[in-house]
Amino acid sequence: MEEKIMVEGIDLQELMVNWSNHLLYLWDTRHMIFKRFHVLHMSRTALEAAAWGEAYKPGSHELLTDIKAATYHNLLIEKHAGVWTAEILLDI
């Protein structure tokens, strides 16, 4: 199943936290698990992407713990040689 996702933030840090929390929202409201993403557009304040995944299936997916929210604690976002990487801590 494909899902279009659009989030905004005042800077890259808020954008990353909002992106992560939106994925958690889709989990909480529709039990969707995503495994592939394609960024369609990204700026310092907006992100539009396509995400592909499926509904949670207890026999196929193993859940170890619930995630409450993404946090700003030790959030790291870097771009090297045109590739973005991010490290984000999740509140469980």
Side-chain angles (χ1 to χ4, degrees), residues 2-85:
E2 180 180 354
E3 180 82 24
K4 295 283 179 149
I5 300 173
M6 297 186 332
V7 294
E8 296 180 334
I10 61 170
D11 56 21
L12 286 176
Q13 289 75 21
E14 184 175 76
L15 193 61
M16 183 65 194
V17 169
N18 289 349
W19 164 263
S20 300
N21 283 328
H22 187 78
L23 293 176
L24 290 171
Y25 168 79
L26 292 173
W27 163 252
D28 286 340
T29 59
R30 297 194 315 208
H31 290 45
M32 291 296 301
I33 297 174
F34 296 97
K35 60 182 176 182
R36 188 167 65 100
F37 303 91
H38 177 73
V39 175
L40 303 168
H41 170 75
M42 182 179 164
S43 70
R44 291 198 157 299
T45 60
L47 173 65
E48 180 181 358
W52 289 268
E54 60 190 13
Y56 169 71
K57 296 175 194 151
S60 299
H61 303 111
E62 181 181 8
L63 297 180
L64 300 178
T65 189
D66 283 328
I67 299 171
K68 294 179 189 174
T71 71
Y72 290 92
H73 183 72
N74 289 337
L75 177 61
L76 179 64
I77 302 171
E78 298 178 321
K79 185 176 183 181
H80 295 287
V83 177
W84 287 96
T85 60

